Amino acid sequence: MRRRRPLAEIISALTYPLHVDDITALFDPRYSSKQPRARVTKVVREGPRTATIRFHAPPGWREHQAGQWVRVGVEIDGVRHWRSYSLSTAPGQDPAITVTDIGQVSGELVRRVRRGDILYLDPPQGEFVLPEHPRPLLMITGGSGITPVMSMLRTLAGRRADADVVVLHAARTRADALFVDELDALAQSAPNVQHMLWLSGEQGRLDLTTVDTLDRLCPDWRDRAAYVCGPEGMVADAERLWADEGAGDHLTMERFNVSRVDGPAGEGGTVTFTRSDREVAVDGATTLLEAGEADGVALPSGCRMGICRTCLTKLDAGRVRDLTTGEVHGDPGDLIRTCVSAPAGDVQLDA
Ligand SMILES: Cc1cc2nc3c(=O)[nH]c(=O)nc-3n(C[C@H](O)[C@H](O)[C@H](O)COP(=O)(O)OP(=O)(O)OC[C@H]3O[C@@H](n4cnc5c(N)ncnc54)[C@H](O)[C@@H]3O)c2cc1C
Ligand code: FES
């Protein structure tokens, strides 16, 4: 049977050497048959190191659920880097990300991106979303961890104005706290929204290792659907506390970063990227993703920290060490996260 050629393929053949994207981009740079792109419509400074970047949803964009994140691609010196960012607006509004400058890609977004620039995007994803049925809520956030919660609160403000929500946001100083005026205004206008700002510069770290602080600030915290997003230590403490109190089912967490375990690196080995026909010697501290990229193998990636699972790649042979736990694992056919896996002996990857 003759295979029907997709329209993009036919146009590509007719327009060679230009790709169909090059032609369509002349009319609308947001169009791409392969990779959605969005045009930045506004950049709002939220603080000395933070900016909200709004963009027009690209054609065919699936509306996000409040709390979800997108993979954003940014070109720096001709290389496209991908990172994950939570959407901070409510569904139905033009999407936006709110980025704090802490490194290479966030720095580029906060300091250089302007109205009219084009960003590369993947569809929204993530499980850190509002519960389907109304419940009293407790949102605990630290630093930029407020961004997905902002999307939830903006959504609730439009759809469930009587929602019972306690927001406990930790920041070093009031000047560092994001969206603080909007949160205060929301708490004043919505009868059941309470906003508490925890200033760690004055009050010390928000302690979630024991029940004391929560019992004092939100006595019914065990009964609420709790959402925690913030620094790694805060999320880990919350996970332990809710589990110890038998309330683990009430807790939903989002991590923005994950540390690697300390200690000596493993042995490393020879990594074969079977489909790319490449072979490279890799030490036990280098991830398979880094090794592949350095050798010119195109591997998918997103957060590069073991969270988003964009980098899952099939293991054909060998075992790998998970650099976030130290665990050595892997059977042929397993999907492994190349961004946090180093070879533990010789490895073959389906890439
Ligand atoms: C699901 C998800 C949602 C996210 N949402 C947001 C968001 O809404 N706003 C936002 O600003 N960022 C968010 N991030 C973090 C973001 O993806 C990047 O990790 C961050 O911007 C740093 O990237 P970079 O290239 O600037 O820094 P890099 O140059 O890659 O890293 C700089 C250093 O900072 C460390 N690091 C990375 N992320 C963090 C972090 N969050 N806290 C502390 N140290 C870190 C790295 O380990 C590295 O040592 C999110 C991450 C995930 C996984
Ligand atoms: S790139 Fe996100 S889990 Fe590997």
Side-chain angles (χ1 to χ4, degrees):
M1 202 173 79
R2 260 184 69 192
R3 188 172 69 91
R4 292 185 67 184
R5 299 173 79 192
L7 184 61
E9 208 179 299
I10 295 168
I11 297 173
S12 280
L14 296 175
T15 57
Y16 181 83
L18 290 177
H19 186 266
V20 61
D21 284 356
D22 300 320
I23 304 291
T24 49
L26 291 174
F27 303 101
D28 183 350
R30 294 175 303 146
Y31 177 83
S32 164
S33 62
K34 286 189 186 145
Q35 183 63 60
R37 310 172 200 190
R39 188 195 292 278
V40 173
T41 52
K42 198 171 180 183
V43 179
V44 180
R45 298 283 139 201
E46 305 283 3
R49 293 190 305 138
T50 304
T52 291
I53 300 167
R54 279 181 182 270
F55 46 88
H56 272 318
W61 172 260
R62 171 164 49 79
E63 190 170 83
H64 71 282
Q65 293 178 55
Q68 286 192 312
W69 52 273
V70 283
R71 225 164 60 99
V72 178
V74 182
E75 305 238 323
I76 304 174
D77 298 332
V79 178
R80 195 175 302 166
H81 299 261
W82 291 93
R83 294 289 184 275
S84 308
Y85 291 100
S86 304
L87 291 153
S88 50
T89 43
Q93 299 172 342
D94 262 358
I97 53 174
T98 300
V99 182
T100 299
D101 174 4
I102 59 164
Q104 190 187 21
V105 176
S106 56
E108 186 76 12
L109 285 165
V110 172
R111 285 183 263 119
R112 292 208 214 291
V113 166
R114 298 280 175 272
R115 182 165 180 248
D117 286 352
I118 296 291
L119 297 177
Y120 297 87
L121 293 175
D122 269 356
Q125 53 184 303
E127 310 296 319
F128 191 74
V129 292
L130 282 173
E132 255 176 50
H133 303 293
R135 285 188 59 177
L137 298 165
L138 168 62
M139 315 292 205
I140 303 181
T141 59
S144 55
I146 186 73
T147 46
V149 165
M150 241 9 245
S151 174
M152 295 177 177
L153 294 170
R154 287 166 171 162
T155 304
L156 289 171
R159 295 186 191 164
R160 277 169 42 199
D162 61 344
D164 178 349
V165 193
V166 174
V167 185
L168 174 55
H169 177 54
R172 204 174 57 79
T173 66
R174 192 175 168 91
D176 290 324
L178 297 175
F179 307 116
V180 70
D181 292 340
E182 185 176 341
L183 287 169
D184 281 345
L186 184 66
Q188 275 180 7
S189 62
N192 301 322
V193 174
Q194 200 186 340
H195 172 222
M196 287 180 274
L197 190 55
W198 182 277
L199 299 179
S200 55
E202 296 167 18
Q203 297 167 273
R205 179 169 164 268
L206 176 62
D207 185 7
L208 299 179
T209 58
T210 73
V211 297
D212 298 352
T213 311
L214 285 175
D215 279 351
R216 188 160 43 84
L217 297 177
C218 181
D220 63 349
W221 64 272
R222 291 175 189 78
D223 303 325
R224 291 175 175 264
Y227 288 75
V228 177
C229 183
E232 192 184 1
M234 173 193 265
V235 180
D237 287 347
E239 188 172 22
R240 265 189 300 272
L241 188 63
W242 262 257
D244 289 350
E245 292 295 303
D249 289 352
H250 296 196
L251 178 66
T252 308
M253 296 164 286
E254 185 80 293
R255 287 182 162 85
F256 281 4
N257 69 316
V258 175
S259 303
R260 295 185 179 179
V261 283
D262 293 332
E267 55 183 310
T270 299
V271 179
T272 308
F273 298 97
T274 44
R275 274 189 288 127
S276 311
D277 197 18
R278 312 285 298 185
E279 195 173 279
V280 59
V282 182
D283 64 44
T286 301
T287 65
L288 299 168
L289 177 62
E290 290 161 347
E293 287 176 341
D295 206 35
V297 179
L299 292 167
S301 72
C303 67
R304 306 179 76 88
M305 290 181 283
I307 298 171
C308 73
R309 302 170 69 80
T310 308
C311 63
L312 286 179
T313 302
K314 187 154 72 73
L315 186 67
D316 283 339
R319 288 170 72 74
V320 298
R321 182 183 306 278
D322 184 326
L323 297 178
T324 63
T325 61
E327 184 205 351
V328 173
H329 67 99
D331 289 313
D334 282 358
L335 290 176
I336 55 158
R337 295 170 302 165
T338 60
C339 69
V340 289
S341 302
D346 294 347
V347 164
Q348 286 178 25
L349 273 186
D350 181 28

